[in-house]
Amino acid sequence: MKIIEWNINGRSNTNYEVPKFVSQTIIKDVDIVILTEFSSVDDGLIESLKESNYTIFYNKIRKEKNKILIGVKNEIISHSNSIKVIEAMNNPHGNEEPNFLEIEVEINNKKITIVGSRIRDGKELFKKEQFNTLKNHLEKIEGATVCAGDFNVWSSYIMRTWRLKPDNYQFYTPWYSGGFKNPDTWSHVGKSRHKVYKSLIDHFITRDIELDNVSYIWDFVNEENGYGALQPEDYKSDLKGYPDHAILQANIKL
């Protein structure tokens, strides 16, 4: 089964349409999709996925806020009546929560928890508080779990500062290899004081689930999809509603 996570650059807006190539990319060969920075209930995207036999879940909060969308191909769901959805963590300090959505579903008669999350960017303490909230929640989940999202830090930072218990959680990230010449070695291009930099900030965290062929995909950045002359290594976040992160993809081995 193929799973992807993709930050689609919604930026808390409710006034935009997700480009059609996003749904076209998903329905081609993806079994489980997690979209972060999904901020509007875009009828075109939702309907396209439903028509392609996905069961769709997303946060129902009304205020302008980045949401998470999770879609699962109907053909891999064993028992649709057993699906459980959790939209928020039990956390008294709401401002310290990351964007979050969790579903529990049976796939191949095995219960799997799928979590989509995005650590909201900000000062280091603000991000650490969100990490702790997510960490405490993940440690309470029982059984096979896959969490994917935009963590807004490199995985080396997470492994230094964030110790998950039980310790059979694994991190999956396409690591730096051979310099930044290969488009699958970074997941986002940022800008600071007019300086452009590349970073690896989209990751998988799993327990009792193995992943292989983990990679970042940038081939959607082309003129046909509305990016003009921009290349994967260029800054793209000014294009509201056009994904500015790579697709993080992997195959799930149950």
Side-chain angles (χ1 to χ4, degrees):
M1 293 180 297
K2 183 175 178 180
I3 181 172
I4 71 166
E5 178 271 334
W6 198 1
N7 182 320
I8 58 172
N9 194 27
R11 292 190 168 192
S12 300
N13 290 291
T14 56
N15 221 7
Y16 78 103
E17 291 184 5
V18 179
K20 290 183 179 179
F21 76 82
V22 172
S23 61
Q24 292 169 349
T25 300
I26 295 167
I27 65 180
K28 187 184 298 182
D29 63 350
V30 174
D31 298 293
I32 301 170
V33 56
I34 298 170
L35 299 182
T36 62
E37 276 200 42
F38 172 79
S39 67
S40 71
V41 182
D42 184 281
D43 292 335
L45 173 65
I46 298 296
E47 288 307 311
S48 177
L49 294 177
K50 286 183 176 179
E51 289 172 2
S52 300
N53 295 316
Y54 287 85
T55 297
I56 302 298
F57 311 89
Y58 51 86
N59 302 107
K60 303 300 192 301
I61 48 179
R62 294 181 180 178
K63 63 182 180 180
E64 291 190 8
K65 182 179 179 180
N66 286 318
K67 305 175 181 69
I68 304 291
L69 178 147
I70 298 176
V72 182
K73 199 82 168 173
N74 290 333
E75 63 193 44
I76 68 169
I77 298 175
S78 302
H79 305 286
S80 59
N81 60 350
S82 66
I83 295 174
K84 179 180 177 181
V85 182
I86 298 175
E87 288 193 58
M89 293 171 279
N90 184 17
N91 175 31
H93 309 292
N95 289 334
E96 298 167 358
E97 288 187 0
N99 302 144
F100 170 88
L101 181 65
E102 172 187 324
I103 70 168
E104 182 183 295
V105 61
E106 285 193 18
I107 296 175
N108 290 348
N109 296 310
K110 179 182 178 71
K111 188 191 80 170
I112 295 179
T113 299
I114 302 170
V115 178
S117 186
R118 173 181 170 270
I119 301 295
R120 294 178 290 147
D121 207 0
K123 294 183 178 180
E124 184 172 351
L125 179 60
F126 178 62
K127 290 196 284 189
K128 278 187 175 180
E129 290 170 342
Q130 294 177 73
F131 274 124
N132 286 332
T133 301
L134 180 60
K135 170 189 173 181
N136 292 337
H137 180 80
L138 290 178
E139 288 176 346
K140 296 174 183 176
I141 298 175
E142 297 180 357
T145 304
V146 56
C147 174
D150 169 11
F151 287 82
N152 268 313
V153 293
W154 288 54
S155 56
S156 55
Y157 170 91
I158 298 173
M159 287 185 279
R160 284 199 312 271
T161 61
W162 195 28
R163 295 289 183 261
L164 274 163
K165 297 178 182 179
D167 59 6
N168 55 348
Y169 276 96
Q170 297 183 66
F171 287 91
Y172 290 91
T173 299
W175 281 99
Y176 171 89
S177 177
F180 285 126
K181 296 180 181 180
N182 190 323
D184 66 359
T185 52
W186 70 88
S187 71
H188 180 250
V189 180
K191 183 190 291 185
S192 176
R193 295 183 180 179
H194 308 293
K195 181 181 179 181
V196 172
Y197 59 90
K198 304 181 182 75
S199 54
L200 293 77
I201 57 178
D202 293 76
H203 319 295
F204 288 112
I205 301 173
T206 72
R207 184 177 63 192
D208 296 335
I209 290 178
E210 289 187 31
L211 304 181
D212 62 13
N213 296 324
V214 183
S215 57
Y216 293 134
I217 305 299
W218 279 109
D219 59 7
F220 61 89
V221 178
N222 54 56
E223 187 174 357
E224 181 181 355
N225 286 340
Y227 288 90
L230 292 175
Q231 299 297 312
E233 60 268 23
D234 295 323
Y235 179 74
K236 298 169 284 296
S237 297
D238 286 341
L239 296 175
K240 184 179 74 172
Y242 281 77
D244 59 343
H245 284 235
I247 300 169
L248 172 61
Q249 72 169 26
N251 294 327
I252 292 181
K253 299 170 63 179
L254 294 181

